[in-house]
Amino acid sequence: MQTNKIILDTDIGDDIDDALALALALRSPELELLGVTTVFKNVRARAQLARRLLDLGGRPDIPVFAGCPQPLINRVDDREVPCQWSADMENARCEEEESAAGFLVRQAAAFPGEVTLVPIGPLTNIAAAIAACPDFKSRIKRIVLMGGAFHSHFAEWNIYCDPEAARIVFESGIPVVAVGLDVTLKCRLSRDEVDELKAMTGVAGDPYRNFLMELVDRWLRFSGNLPVLHDPLAVCAVFDEAVLTLKREVVQVETRGEFTRGLTFNRTGGDWVNPGESEEGAWIAEEVDAPRFFATFLPRVFGASFAGGR
């Protein structure tokens, strides 16, 4: 089986979908996870959380790098502790001798044309790597990201948090597959699945899966919402092209509007494209085969015995 070399770039610790995306990456034989980089606000706490999940998943060899805590222009509170972090993660080991952007550049140079970046948070680390190395763009195979809203008038969170970085990425010329909010919202865990998941906590005898269930429970208590699998869908799209219907379109990111900052605008080419913008565009997710996705996601992440409500 040919594997896809990937780097997962994540704002893990707030919404539960980042942890579930990392779990899917770990449990997918089609993927070779070269490393994890964290982004936005308290990147150290995020890195510690990712480290714990990797260690319990039997992969202490996969490095974790704390990346850019601040967007390119805006300022945020980078001391804010993610809701899924706990004090017992304080001593989790993370890489400190190299920046996240430096790691991205190094891996792209080590495996030219082979690395797929999977950013599932704000795109600051990717933009920093593009700025740091002129050859980085030509060495990356592609980017499969979760971000944007391409069929509705809505500023999706990952783009909104750093629109300037998103604009750099979409205009970089790196091949991009963008899995937007319009599509990911169709992939929500059902109440029956959540209830079964909670009933499995502490019973499965697997510290890794029990920890993952604990994170899901923290998210449920914090948010009161059923988990939506935004980020796992992007991970799945790396190795299963049939899970999404894609359309090639030119994407612009609004960075200046008082009420429209962070919006993604897309259409199929035309003379409206700004100078310097990539006219090749990006592959935008139009639709998802949700049953196909869940048939992959549920047994891989929660175990073959997970029946669920589908």
Side-chain angles (χ1 to χ4, degrees):
M1 177 188 298
Q2 185 176 2
T3 59
N4 298 270
K5 291 180 171 62
I6 71 167
I7 299 173
L8 191 73
D9 185 68
T10 174
D11 57 346
I12 190 171
D14 294 324
D15 198 324
I16 186 57
D17 61 327
D18 291 79
L20 296 176
L22 177 53
L24 179 60
L26 281 177
R27 292 298 188 254
S28 295
E30 302 91 344
L31 302 179
E32 179 184 352
L33 184 57
L34 299 176
V36 176
T37 53
T38 61
V39 68
F40 196 64
K41 293 189 174 181
N42 196 331
V43 292
R44 182 173 181 271
R46 298 191 194 284
Q48 291 169 337
L49 175 54
R51 178 76 273 154
R52 174 63 64 82
L53 193 55
L54 287 167
D55 288 349
L56 289 174
R59 296 302 308 271
D61 57 303
I62 296 176
V64 180
F65 296 83
C68 299
Q70 298 288 346
L72 295 182
I73 292 180
N74 291 347
R75 297 276 72 86
V76 295
D77 181 4
D78 57 18
R79 298 168 299 176
E80 182 179 308
V81 177
C83 68
Q84 291 161 51
W85 185 88
S86 57
D88 61 346
M89 301 175 193
E90 182 64 43
N91 295 322
R93 175 190 56 82
C94 299
E95 309 299 329
E96 297 182 351
E97 76 284 355
E98 185 177 30
S99 68
F103 173 71
L104 295 175
V105 169
R106 179 165 60 86
Q107 293 300 301
F111 305 103
E114 297 183 49
V115 178
T116 296
L117 303 180
V118 188
I120 53 176
L123 294 167
T124 318
N125 286 336
I126 314 302
I130 291 171
C133 178
D135 295 328
F136 179 74
K137 296 184 290 185
S138 63
R139 291 171 174 168
I140 290 299
K141 179 180 179 180
R142 60 175 173 160
I143 295 173
V144 180
L145 64 88
M146 190 280 134
F150 302 102
H151 310 293
S152 59
H153 193 72
F154 182 81
E156 185 273 328
W157 176 254
N158 289 341
I159 306 299
Y160 176 78
C161 287
D162 198 343
E164 285 75 23
R167 189 163 190 166
I168 288 170
V169 169
F170 276 105
E171 296 181 3
S172 68
I174 301 173
V176 171
V177 175
V179 186
L181 189 72
D182 329 70
V183 171
T184 62
L185 282 172
K186 299 175 182 178
C187 299
R188 185 187 302 270
L189 288 176
S190 70
R191 172 55 61 184
D192 286 345
E193 288 161 345
V194 169
D195 288 345
E196 182 175 349
L197 177 62
K198 293 172 70 174
M200 290 171 64
T201 302
V203 176
D206 180 348
Y208 162 77
R209 190 161 289 126
N210 286 344
F211 178 65
L212 194 60
M213 295 173 185
E214 180 182 332
L215 294 181
V216 172
D217 190 57
R218 288 181 193 175
W219 164 250
L220 292 170
R221 287 185 279 110
F222 175 80
S223 71
N225 297 321
L226 293 173
V228 181
L229 306 178
H230 309 285
D231 297 340
L233 181 57
V235 171
C236 186
V238 175
F239 61 86
D240 185 3
E241 296 181 356
V243 79
L244 295 174
T245 302
L246 302 174
K247 181 179 180 181
R248 190 145 202 174
E249 298 194 350
V250 174
V251 174
Q252 288 183 308
V253 180
E254 175 58 57
T255 57
R256 299 181 181 178
E258 180 180 359
F259 303 108
T260 57
R261 180 172 165 79
L263 285 176
T264 46
F265 296 92
N266 54 292
R267 57 189 298 179
T268 308
D271 59 4
W272 74 299
V273 178
N274 290 334
E277 185 179 68
S278 172
E279 297 189 15
E280 295 182 358
W283 289 102
I284 305 302
E286 294 273 299
E287 190 53 82
V288 57
D289 185 340
R292 182 185 181 99
F293 167 64
F294 278 100
T296 298
F297 173 80
L298 289 173
R300 290 192 183 191
V301 174
F302 297 124
S305 63
F306 188 82
R310 295 179 190 275

